[in-house]
Amino acid sequence: MPEARKLKYDEADLRVLTREDLDALEIGSGILGTGGGGNPYQGKLLALEAMKEGYELKILATDKIEPDALCMSIGGIGAPVVGVERLREGREGVRCLRAMEELIRTSIDAVVCEEIGGANSMNPLVTAALGGLPILDCDGMGRAFPEMQMTTFSIYGHSSTPSVMCDLHGNSVIFSHAASEVWHERMARACVVAQGGGAMLATAPMQAHYVHQYAIPKSYTKAIALGEAVIKARKLQEDPIAAICALEGGRRIFNGKITDLKRHLRGGFAVGDIALAGFDEWSGETADVAIQNEFLIFRREGKVEVCVPDLIVLLDVDTGYPITTEMLRYGQRVAVVAIPCHDLLRTERALEVVGPSAFGYPEIQFSPMPAFNPKVD
């Protein structure tokens, strides 16, 4: 059993989430997920079930925990479409937590979200709640990416191993050492394919001072605020897409109908392309979006306009609700929104890992999109 450890934070600093917070987080994490991270509605159902059972979902600011506190990052691994067809059992994450504590022979103080996008915003919350721990208000991506080495934790020097992967069948796999972060991703990806395409994976714990320095800050409060903005705009019969852009410095770059959709599983990823025919002010124009779990590249008339690591988001044109890759359908009418990513993803070091070349597009040069500040009447 892990040794007892005193609290490394003041319980008065914890924010306990409500049902309304989860409703907002479902929308906001879907937006930040850029199509990936798993279905946020299904993730919310697991979080609500934990609430019904009496567990509290608690968020803590990264500067409110002692610098030497031990923090474990966790997230789902696999193809998003698998998550729709095969639901999680719900306790995979807490099994990862307990296995990690047994492995390192000490207790974890807080949980960290690997990526804020989609269901991966909810699953770490459930893990923390079942484990009686808070989750820090941050994440390792500020969006969703398809591979594990694409976290800011890995990019800036943290080694993810030893790590623990648990699936819904009750299997637990320990990766004691990987020669590199890319090797860790390859081995874990091969393992998750054998497990049916979906599992939870916890990486080697970090001290809180490292998380505070290299995590994308305030991810949960940002996602909740985005969801609240969409809900408020719809109640007031205002434009929810404009509200999203105003909060995140983004801009609507296309309205289109899906005229072709190619999507299939390859190596544990959902990959494909979306073809769009423009309408409204984009009538007569065509566009396409490349997919690898998330939306990677947006082209208009064959010319690249936005690419990773900046965020490409597909929203229902009428409601402003995000559409994840596994929920795309022929004939859908969507708004494409581009949002600038966090500066930690724009460094030369980061672009080697999360820029276009890392996804097989060496010919594309990342050009940071400027934040858009809409005029206020």
Side-chain angles (χ1 to χ4, degrees):
M1 290 295 293
E3 64 184 28
R5 182 183 287 252
K6 68 175 184 178
L7 292 181
K8 296 277 187 171
Y9 51 87
D10 187 338
E11 292 189 273
D13 292 323
L14 297 173
R15 173 181 175 179
V16 179
L17 297 188
T18 65
R19 167 64 189 261
E20 291 72 26
D21 290 331
L22 290 182
D23 289 339
L25 179 59
E26 176 194 352
I27 298 170
S29 65
I31 294 168
L32 295 177
T34 64
N39 189 284
Y41 175 70
Q42 291 183 340
K44 185 182 77 169
L45 294 181
L46 288 175
L48 287 173
E49 193 62 28
M51 260 187 196
K52 290 177 184 176
E53 293 176 9
Y55 294 99
E56 290 186 329
L57 282 61
K58 301 173 288 189
I59 293 176
L60 181 68
T62 59
D63 61 352
K64 297 296 184 180
I65 191 168
E66 293 182 16
D68 66 343
L70 209 54
C71 308
M72 185 193 78
S73 179
I74 191 167
I77 177 172
V81 67
V82 173
V84 173
E85 298 173 352
R86 189 189 69 165
L87 300 180
R88 294 192 184 278
E89 175 259 347
R91 301 190 68 88
E92 297 95 328
V94 77
R95 289 200 294 272
C96 285
L97 171 64
R98 297 310 179 209
M100 180 64 75
E101 290 181 323
E102 184 176 348
L103 182 65
I104 64 175
R105 297 183 182 277
T106 191
S107 299
I108 299 297
D109 295 305
V111 172
V112 177
C113 177
E114 190 92 349
E115 66 176 6
I116 193 63
N120 265 337
S121 67
M122 301 287 185
N123 293 323
L125 272 175
V126 174
T127 297
L130 298 183
L133 299 174
I135 191 163
L136 298 186
D137 189 10
C138 64
D139 81 301
M141 296 181 179
R143 46 163 296 154
F145 284 122
E147 299 184 15
M148 294 184 305
Q149 78 276 11
M150 294 174 175
T151 67
T152 50
F153 310 130
S154 294
I155 289 168
Y156 293 103
H158 177 65
S159 175
S160 295
T161 52
S163 64
V164 180
M165 179 187 289
C166 297
D167 66 14
L168 59 79
H169 306 292
N171 297 311
S172 296
V173 179
I174 295 173
F175 298 92
S176 61
H177 174 72
S180 69
E181 294 295 275
V182 172
W183 270 110
H184 183 228
E185 158 66 27
R186 289 174 181 170
M187 292 188 293
R189 190 67 53 178
C191 185
V192 81
V193 170
Q195 291 175 333
M200 291 288 287
L201 188 136
T203 54
M206 304 166 279
Q207 289 193 316
H209 67 83
Y210 184 87
V211 176
H212 184 61
Q213 183 174 3
Y214 291 115
I216 307 297
K218 300 182 179 179
S219 300
Y220 277 99
T221 52
K222 174 188 287 190
I224 292 170
L226 273 169
E228 289 174 340
V230 171
I231 293 169
K232 180 181 178 181
R234 285 179 51 76
K235 284 183 178 178
L236 297 176
Q237 297 186 332
E238 297 174 348
D239 183 1
I241 298 173
I244 292 167
C245 292
L247 269 182
E248 288 301 302
R251 66 179 186 272
R252 187 193 305 227
I253 55 177
F254 202 77
N255 279 355
K257 178 181 177 180
I258 297 178
T259 57
D260 194 17
L261 175 61
K262 298 174 182 177
R263 181 184 54 206
H264 59 278
L265 290 178
R266 186 178 68 200
F269 299 107
V271 297
D273 292 279
I274 310 161
L276 299 170
F279 59 84
D280 291 340
E281 64 183 274
W282 295 275
S283 180
E285 298 182 9
T286 61
D288 63 273
V289 181
I291 304 171
Q292 184 180 331
N293 284 13
E294 287 77 42
F295 306 127
L296 301 180
I297 311 289
F298 172 81
R299 298 182 180 90
R300 186 199 311 270
E301 305 294 343
K303 182 179 179 181
V304 175
E305 288 194 4
V306 185
C307 66
V308 287
D310 282 341
L311 285 67
I312 299 165
V313 186
L314 267 61
L315 305 168
D316 181 279
V317 75
D318 297 313
T319 66
Y321 289 164
I323 304 171
T324 51
T325 54
E326 73 276 7
M327 301 306 291
L328 293 167
R329 299 290 184 270
Y330 176 84
Q332 282 175 322
R333 290 160 50 88
V334 303
V336 183
V337 168
I339 296 173
C341 67
H342 192 276
D343 287 345
L344 280 171
L345 299 175
R346 291 183 167 190
T347 66
E348 184 177 346
R349 185 170 181 173
L351 289 175
E352 291 177 0
V353 182
V354 297
S357 61
F359 295 90
Y361 299 92
E363 75 282 4
I364 297 177
Q365 183 72 31
F366 174 69
S367 179
M369 63 169 290
F372 174 65
N373 296 310
K375 294 180 181 179
V376 179
D377 292 332

